[in-house]
């Protein structure tokens, strides 16, 4: 599929010992012509057991209400009561996850939230511990490029990073990816 190619994909085959781990990271996305230099900032979350991806464009790295709401919605959509939130220790990402934790305390109560969510920090810039979410960032970037190309071809227009449709496009592409992608394990959507 145009815009989604990978040279050497890596598949994680590590055993899952029952923990519901959700990994978070920031990524960058360029939708313009190669070398244009303008990159959008993404926050991406990926559930380890389900490989379910959540992501959204954010204005800046760090704690902000829109990013919190996006992550909170993603965690609700996963449907698990108990989760371990994993970050690479980047201060902006840790602040964002702690903000989500605080919002969930307000929403569900302190006892319920602290019993259900745990924060685990890896070493900052530890790409080895963040492999799953790094592949999620690649997936989101590929989906965004594919969606952009589809819109451009279908409506004969040029989609740029500053267009209001771009955040929706990314969320919509992730939605379609999860609802209609064929799973390797079962062959079903």
């Amino acid at each position: 599929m145009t815009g989604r190619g990978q040279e050497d994909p890596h598949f994680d085959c590590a055993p899952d010992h029952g923990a519901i781990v959700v990994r978070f990271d920031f990524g960058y996305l360029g939708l313009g012509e190669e070398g244009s230099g303008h990159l959008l900032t993404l926050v991406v979350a990926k559930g380890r057991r389900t490989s379910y991806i959540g992501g959204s464009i954010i204005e800046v790295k760090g704690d902000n209400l829109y990013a919190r709401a996006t992550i909170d919605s993603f965690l609700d959509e996963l449907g698990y009561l108990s989760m371990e939130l994993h970050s690479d220790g980047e201060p902006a990402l840790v602040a964002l996850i702690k903000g989500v934790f605080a919002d969930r305390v307000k929403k569900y109560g302190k006892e319920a939230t602290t019993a259900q969510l745990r924060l685990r920090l890896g070493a900052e810039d530890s790409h080895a511990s963040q492999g799953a979410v790094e592949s999620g960032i690649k997936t989101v970037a590929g989906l965004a490029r594919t969606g952009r190309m589809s819109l451009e071809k279908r409506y004969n227009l040029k989609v740029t990073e500053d267009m209001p449709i771009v955040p929706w496009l990314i969320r919509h592409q992730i939605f379609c990816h999860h609802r209609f992608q064929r799973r390797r394990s079962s062959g079903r959507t």
Side-chain angles (χ1 to χ4, degrees), residues 123-186:
E124 192 170 346
D125 295 326
S126 171
H127 298 291
S129 68
Q130 292 291 91
V133 74
E134 296 285 346
S135 72
I137 292 169
K138 284 183 184 178
T139 299
V140 170
L143 292 168
R145 285 191 300 271
T146 304
R148 183 205 73 208
M149 289 179 209
S150 176
L151 281 176
E152 288 178 348
K153 184 176 181 181
R154 184 175 187 130
Y155 296 106
N156 195 27
L157 59 89
K158 182 72 177 155
V159 176
T160 60
E161 291 92 346
D162 59 341
M163 294 178 95
I165 198 168
V166 172
W168 170 85
L169 174 67
I170 290 171
R171 289 190 314 272
H172 179 69
Q173 289 293 97
I174 292 170
F175 171 84
C176 290
H177 176 73
H178 289 298
R179 295 332 184 266
F180 307 115
Q181 171 190 321
R182 211 175 237 197
R183 307 286 184 248
R184 275 190 213 127
S185 59
S186 66

Side-chain angles (χ1 to χ4, degrees), residues 3-170:
R4 295 197 46 210
Q6 290 187 48
E7 289 184 19
D8 188 17
H10 170 73
F11 303 103
D12 184 9
C13 297
D16 187 354
H17 300 289
I20 305 302
V21 178
V22 181
R23 298 184 187 278
F24 294 88
D25 204 0
F26 291 118
Y28 296 98
L29 172 66
L31 285 179
E33 299 299 320
E34 282 194 38
S36 69
H38 187 257
L39 297 174
L40 300 170
T41 304
L42 296 169
V43 61
V44 175
K46 185 171 183 181
R48 180 165 181 192
R49 180 177 290 169
T50 62
S51 295
Y52 200 78
I53 301 170
S56 185
I57 291 176
I58 56 174
E59 291 290 319
V60 294
K61 283 184 170 186
D63 188 17
N64 66 68
L65 294 176
Y66 180 73
R68 279 187 191 185
T70 298
I71 291 173
D72 188 54
S73 173
F74 171 75
L75 294 176
D76 285 343
E77 198 169 325
L78 279 175
Y80 294 107
L81 295 176
S82 179
M83 292 177 266
E84 187 172 286
L85 309 181
H86 188 275
S87 160
D88 64 0
E90 181 180 352
L93 190 56
V94 172
L96 176 57
I97 293 172
K98 285 183 177 179
V100 170
F101 189 84
D103 289 348
R104 291 181 79 85
V105 165
K106 289 178 190 171
K107 190 173 177 181
Y108 298 113
K110 185 172 182 161
E111 292 78 23
T113 303
T114 54
Q116 294 171 358
L117 294 179
R118 291 175 307 285
L119 177 60
R120 186 172 80 186
L121 302 178
E124 192 170 346
D125 295 326
S126 171
H127 298 291
S129 68
Q130 292 291 91
V133 74
E134 296 285 346
S135 72
I137 292 169
K138 284 183 184 178
T139 299
V140 170
L143 292 168
R145 285 191 300 271
T146 304
R148 183 205 73 208
M149 289 179 209
S150 176
L151 281 176
E152 288 178 348
K153 184 176 181 181
R154 184 175 187 130
Y155 296 106
N156 195 27
L157 59 89
K158 182 72 177 155
V159 176
T160 60
E161 291 92 346
D162 59 341
M163 294 178 95
I165 198 168
V166 172
W168 170 85
L169 174 67
I170 290 171

